[in-house]
């Protein structure tokens, strides 16, 4: 799969939440697009990631 | 004559001359929302009013406090006023002929799409990262045509040149350096906040003029 332009080998299919946890992202601080479609925040646990997927992950830091 | 209120036609012709009639027409027809009226949002709103954006929605739930004045576009006489009211009165002084709506609300997954529905472009100008992601994720998933110009990473006094605008997701632009969080020892300071707000306002202008490239 590809995340933010980098190729990553998945050992198994996993939920988006598991993937983000494993990559060290805070779940409440990211917006994610999977294969060009935005993933609603309440679907992070149920949306599955497989080796064909492309993710774009945007992390927001505080300040405004 | 000093302090004479310009009439609508006078102001229109001056702005059309400055911005070109074609650009002015597009800007005047635009509907833009500003979510959060702090350091970013207050400067974005002022810039959009100076451009002559025809319809603006201002959303915030806070009042002006003394510790805002170091970077937010408010003045001592605005202290304790609702930011929506304090900002609307400034924008009206810049251009009395633009249509400004205000909503005093804290944005959640439940109210976001109702409040921002009907606006082509939304500026995300919140402070805390959770609020930023709630707004962005909710609007992108529920409003299929909205474009969002958001901010991430503008605290401190790092190089101005690290602040960029990029197309991050299909309908999401991010302005900032994407790393400089506000934290102890790295506060929010006027210059970088204004630079980032300028990036956001210019991306809004580009979208209004039909340019989607960051």
């Amino acid at each position: 799969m590809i995340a933010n332009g980098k190729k990553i080998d998945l050992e198994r299919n996993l939920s988006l939440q598991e993937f983000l946890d494993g990559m060290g992202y805070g779940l409440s601080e990211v917006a994610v697009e999977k294969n060009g479609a935005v993933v609603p925040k309440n679907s992070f646990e149920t949306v599955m990631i497989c080796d064909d997927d492309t993710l774009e992950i945007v992390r927001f830091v505080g300040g405004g | 004559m000093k302090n004479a209120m310009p009439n609508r036609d006078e102001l229109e012709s001056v702005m059309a001359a400055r911005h070109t009639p074609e650009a002015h027409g597009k800007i005047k027809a635009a509907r833009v929302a500003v979510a959060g009226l702090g350091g970013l949002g207050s400067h974005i709103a002022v810039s959009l009013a100076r451009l002559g954006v025809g319809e603006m929605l201002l959303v915030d739930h806070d009042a002006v406090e003394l510790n805002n004045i170091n970077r937010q576009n408010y003045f001592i006489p605005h202290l304790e006023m609702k930011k929506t009211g304090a900002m609307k009165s400034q924008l009206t002084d810049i251009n009395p002929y633009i249509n400004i709506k205000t909503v005093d609300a804290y944005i959640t997954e439940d109210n976001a799409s109702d409040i921002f529905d009907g606006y082509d472009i939304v500026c995300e100008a919140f402070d805390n990262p959770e609020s930023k992601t709630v707004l962005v994720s909710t609007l992108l998933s529920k409003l299929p045509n909205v474009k969002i110009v958001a901010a991430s990473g503008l605290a401190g006094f790092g190089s101005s040149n690290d602040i960029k605008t990029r197309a991050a997701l299909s309908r999401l632009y991010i302005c900032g350096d994407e790393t400089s969080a506000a934290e102890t020892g790295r506060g929010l300071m006027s210059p970088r906040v204004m630079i980032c707000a300028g990036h956001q306002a210019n991306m809004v202008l580009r979208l209004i003029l039909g340019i989607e490239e960051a």
Side-chain angles (χ1 to χ4, degrees), chain B:
Chain B
M1 191 171 64
K2 206 180 170 208
N3 290 333
M5 177 64 76
N7 68 38
R8 184 187 288 264
D9 290 346
E10 244 180 308
L11 189 55
E12 291 273 334
S13 74
V14 168
M15 291 176 60
R18 282 279 169 193
H19 295 156
T20 76
E22 192 196 347
H24 177 65
K26 288 179 180 172
I27 296 166
K28 194 178 147 190
R31 296 161 56 84
V32 180
V34 182
L37 296 172
L40 295 169
S42 61
H43 287 106
I44 294 167
V46 165
S47 190
L48 298 180
R50 292 194 195 281
L51 283 170
V53 168
E55 186 165 333
M56 290 173 63
L57 172 70
L58 309 175
V59 182
D60 200 289
H61 71 288
D62 259 339
V64 179
E65 295 176 32
L66 189 56
N67 67 9
N68 298 155
I69 306 286
N70 80 318
R71 68 192 187 282
Q72 305 188 14
N73 204 72
Y74 302 103
F75 308 104
I76 302 288
H78 294 128
L79 290 175
E80 296 181 15
M81 282 176 74
K82 281 283 192 182
K83 288 183 179 175
T84 45
M87 187 45 58
K88 184 174 178 175
S89 80
Q90 292 184 66
L91 302 190
T92 304
D93 282 347
I94 291 168
N95 186 333
Y97 305 112
I98 57 183
N99 184 1
I100 301 165
K101 294 190 177 121
T102 61
V103 172
D104 286 289
Y106 187 82
I107 297 304
T108 66
E109 281 168 80
D110 297 326
N111 67 12
S113 56
D114 284 341
I115 288 173
F116 294 99
D117 193 15
Y119 289 86
D120 314 311
I121 303 168
V122 175
C123 294
E124 180 285 309
F126 290 146
D127 186 48
N128 86 64
E130 291 79 12
S131 296
K132 288 171 178 286
T133 54
V134 163
L135 182 80
V136 166
S137 296
T138 307
L139 296 191
L140 287 178
S141 42
K142 291 192 180 168
L143 303 179
N145 298 315
V146 76
K147 294 186 174 85
I148 303 178
V149 181
S152 180
L154 48 110
F157 46 87
S159 171
S160 305
N161 299 333
D162 291 340
I163 291 180
K164 308 252 190 276
T165 302
R166 74 175 179 107
L169 304 181
S170 309
R171 290 175 285 122
L172 174 69
Y173 297 84
I174 301 273
C175 304
D177 66 19
E178 300 192 49
T179 54
S180 300
E183 58 193 30
T184 309
R186 185 167 58 207
L188 292 163
M189 300 168 90
S190 170
R192 281 187 119 224
V193 171
M194 288 177 70
I195 290 165
C196 192
H199 269 255
Q200 289 182 273
N202 192 45
M203 193 63 234
V204 170
L205 174 59
R206 287 168 67 76
L207 290 171
I208 289 171
L209 299 179
I211 303 163
E212 300 205 335
E213 189 190 334

Side-chain angles (χ1 to χ4, degrees), chain A residues 8-26:
Chain A
I8 293 173
D9 290 321
L10 285 186
E11 287 172 12
R12 60 182 176 91
N13 291 359
L14 70 182
S15 75
L16 178 57
Q17 182 163 326
E18 288 175 300
F19 177 82
L20 293 170
D21 277 338
M23 297 290 285
Y25 286 105

Side-chain angles (χ1 to χ4, degrees), chain A residues 28-30 33 59-64, chain B residues 127 129 133 152-153 169-170 174 181-182:
Chain A
S28 63
E29 298 174 354
V30 291
E33 208 171 58
R59 177 173 168 253
F60 286 96
V61 302
Chain B
D127 186 48
T133 54
S152 180
L169 304 181
S170 309
I174 301 273

Side-chain angles (χ1 to χ4, degrees), chain A residues 37-58:
Chain A
V38 170
V39 183
K41 288 191 90 61
N42 57 14
S43 306
F44 281 11
E45 243 179 301
T46 49
V47 165
M48 297 300 291
I49 305 299
C50 71
D51 223 19
D52 298 331
D53 288 330
T54 299
L55 294 181
E56 285 296 329
I57 303 156
V58 175

